[in-house]
Amino acid sequence: MKTLRLRGLVLVMAALLPAAAFASPTVNTLGGDTRVQLSADLVGALTSLGVSVKASYPARLRGASASFPIPGGELDLGTLKGEVDHAGGLTLRAGATEVNLSSYTIDTTGAAPVLTGLVKVNDSVLGRLPLFDITLVSAPVVRGLHARAGSVQLDNVRLTLNDEAAVALNAVFSVSAFQAGLPVGTARVQTYFYEPAP
């Protein structure tokens, strides 16, 4: 009789425990970077408008290849929901107008993944805006989970200009060339993680 009661108690406890208790862990990201190959469409549009581009430290820009360090973030390895933060950014300049897009965050907590950024115009903060819409082409590669530390890599991540960013850039530069959906580039995201001890 005691054995039957014990089994019944175990079954009840298992039923009451939330499903999240058995999900993949949420981990802290630390290190790595996101590398972006800027599209010919974006480079051509900027050139035609006389807009120059430079990286703001610690980001790097070499030709049409940009890289942005990842200082931190948090990801659910089961759903990939979370945020991955970046340092540095890009500065767009035409004449006396300078727009700095920095402190990027890849945000996958909403209905669709998006990259947001802090927007400054002539060194005055405009606000944090959604900049690029994200399309994941391939599945993430997760390594080293059972060692409580490892890495997450995403390849062939497609970035397109968000409609809010297009409206803001057109207003700032007094043009109409920036259109929602403009291909921005293809990215590779690689970050390292550790799972906090219970």
Side-chain angles (χ1 to χ4, degrees):
M1 182 66 69
K2 290 183 178 180
T3 302
L4 289 176
R5 288 179 180 174
L6 180 59
R7 289 178 179 174
L9 180 60
V10 170
L11 290 174
V12 170
M13 291 179 64
L16 292 177
L17 285 174
F22 301 98
S24 296
T26 296
V27 298
N28 297 309
T29 61
L30 180 64
D33 62 14
T34 292
R35 300 182 183 185
V36 182
Q37 183 65 38
L38 301 178
S39 73
D41 297 284
L42 177 65
V43 173
L46 295 174
T47 301
S48 67
L49 294 171
V51 178
S52 63
V53 185
K54 67 177 182 179
S56 53
Y57 183 81
R60 294 183 178 182
L61 179 63
R62 296 177 179 173
S65 298
S67 63
F68 309 93
I70 297 174
E74 198 167 358
L75 279 178
D76 182 314
L77 294 182
T79 62
L80 273 194
K81 285 191 174 182
E83 294 184 348
V84 178
D85 301 323
H86 296 74
L90 295 175
T91 298
L92 313 179
R93 185 180 182 88
T97 302
E98 186 173 270
V99 178
N100 179 253
L101 313 173
S102 66
S103 302
Y104 303 138
T105 295
I106 295 176
D107 185 349
T108 59
T109 61
V114 65
L115 187 148
T116 68
L118 191 65
V119 181
K120 292 182 287 186
V121 179
N122 293 334
D123 212 29
S124 295
V125 175
L126 182 63
R128 176 166 288 276
L129 298 177
L131 300 178
F132 311 135
D133 294 321
I134 298 173
T135 301
L136 303 180
V137 177
S138 56
V141 177
V142 180
R143 299 182 178 91
L145 174 59
H146 298 295
R148 304 187 69 85
S151 65
V152 177
Q153 182 170 321
L154 288 168
D155 294 308
N156 300 317
V157 179
R158 295 178 184 172
L159 305 176
T160 54
L161 192 64
N162 181 272
D163 55 352
E164 287 190 45
V167 169
L169 289 173
N170 283 330
V172 169
F173 289 113
S174 300
V175 297
S176 59
F178 296 103
Q179 300 294 323
L182 175 72
V184 172
T186 302
R188 188 220 66 178
V189 182
Q190 183 170 27
T191 186
Y192 304 97
F193 67 80
Y194 69 93
E195 180 188 355

